[in-house]
Amino acid sequence: LREHALELLKEVGNEQQLNDLRVRFLGKKGELTEILRGMGGLSAEERPVIGQVANVVREAIETSINEKVEAFKRAELDRRLQSETIDVTLPGRPMPHGAVHPLMKVIQEMEDIFVGMGYQIAEGPEVETDYYNFEALNLPKNHPARDMQDSFYITEELLMRTHTSPVQVRAMELMKGDVPLKVICPGRVYRRDDDDATHSFMFHQIEGLVIDKNIRMSDLKGTLLQFVREMFGSHMQIRLRPSFFPFTEPSAEVDVTCVQCAGDGCRMCKQTGWIEILGCGMVHPKVLEMGGYDPEVYSGFAFGTGVERIAILKYGIDDIRHFYTNDIRFLKQFNRM
Ligand code: PHE
């Protein structure tokens, strides 16, 4: 019996077969158990002898089965170690990764610059009321500067904001006459324009507002010069040209040194050496008043600039549409900047 069992054991190929064998020889109805059961019919002398032999046989079979179990376990472990080996010396596969959009880069950079000067960042709705977008900014109904053609109206009272100045009105209301008020408002704005290389029906602005006692035009100029130099480099100059906005008095447009200037044939600045980047001025007394500030006590300055324009100058981009068409070859260039 032992020989037979051990012989069969050699051929066992998996755990299922091994189990079958265990049942066949050592189980309740197994062959060895049968023999032990039959011992009742043996004489008193024969019984211990046969019993001993049977025990030896059982132990031998058991030991062999256990060895086999161990062997199976080892083989399984080996197999798994084999199949799960990782070659840690292999070079990694490059993962494609995105880049920060150039417009977001410029916004973040401008936010950093102004936060460094103590400004807070304010956001507001893109769908605005006529009051915040125009009226509170000294643009009453029928004012010519409100040219209907330029705005996307939703109802008579609601429109897509045409600038981020309404956020400044909201900031004034929130402050309830408290000073100093120093905010910048980044965000999307909408105007009815036909898209081309320099126009888009949607673009981004960042506007700034400061209100306190004794705020003067020189504070505005110093702030803008500081901003321009941090943004484009310490060699930059600015110049202010008189202009008009209904919400500021006096008003000015600001030019900066042409950074991409190619000398004689420069397309960017038409050979003037200057490029316009923003509008600004001293907050109009009526706007202060409507915002809850006494113009006899407080004064303030405001400025507004197009993010696309800043990005175009900073990175030498030739078409505003590049920002929105999401050509991966264009966007990828901002990976490493
Ligand atoms: N809101 C103006 C515009 O959209 C920019 C501006 C802001 C001008 C603040 C002066 C002061 O063109």
Side-chain angles (χ1 to χ4, degrees), residues 141-331:
K141 292 214 159 55
N142 304 319
H143 191 289
R146 246 189 199 234
D147 195 347
M148 280 279 289
Q149 299 306 312
D150 277 338
S151 315
F152 288 113
Y153 273 89
I154 294 167
T155 66
E156 221 170 288
E157 282 303 311
L158 284 180
L159 70 156
M160 303 307 289
R161 67 181 176 196
T162 57
H163 47 187
T164 47
S165 307
V167 187
Q168 306 182 338
V169 177
R170 289 170 179 276
M172 283 192 268
E173 283 185 359
L174 276 176
M175 288 291 278
K176 294 191 167 60
D178 220 7
V179 288
L181 167 56
K182 293 173 85 176
V183 284
I184 54 163
C185 317
R188 291 191 194 100
V189 300
Y190 301 82
R191 289 185 195 176
R192 279 180 58 180
D193 253 332
D194 288 330
D195 291 4
D196 62 26
T198 54
H199 296 84
S200 169
F201 69 92
M202 184 280 297
F203 59 100
H204 299 72
Q205 278 192 335
I206 294 190
E207 297 206 4
L209 172 69
V210 172
I211 300 176
D212 206 341
K213 283 182 180 162
N214 301 317
I215 296 291
R216 292 182 289 257
M217 195 90 181
S218 53
D219 299 314
L220 170 61
K221 193 174 176 187
T223 301
L224 294 177
L225 183 61
Q226 177 66 19
F227 155 65
V228 163
R229 290 191 167 169
E230 284 194 47
M231 195 71 187
F232 296 105
S234 55
H235 60 286
M236 297 294 285
Q237 297 291 349
I238 60 171
R239 72 173 185 187
L240 273 65
R241 281 179 291 108
S243 185
F244 172 80
F245 298 104
F247 29 88
T248 47
E249 181 58 36
S251 305
E253 271 167 317
V254 176
D255 297 338
V256 295
T257 319
C258 180
V259 266
Q260 307 284 339
C261 205
D264 276 357
C266 187
R267 275 196 313 135
M268 298 287 280
C269 64
K270 301 190 186 80
Q271 278 132 278
T272 60
W274 295 100
I275 290 183
E276 185 201 321
I277 57 156
L278 55 84
C280 63
M282 301 307 291
V283 183
H284 195 288
K286 277 197 192 157
V287 174
L288 283 175
E289 208 168 333
M290 281 185 280
Y293 288 87
D294 182 351
E296 297 291 332
V297 181
Y298 300 109
S299 55
F301 66 70
F303 56 88
T305 183
V307 178
E308 280 78 354
R309 176 151 268 237
I310 303 274
I312 281 171
L313 292 181
K314 192 168 166 105
Y315 299 117
I317 294 162
D318 61 359
D319 193 320
I320 195 172
R321 288 168 293 195
H322 285 311
F323 292 121
Y324 317 117
T325 42
N326 290 329
D327 184 331
I328 210 89
R329 293 165 301 180
F330 170 74
L331 296 173

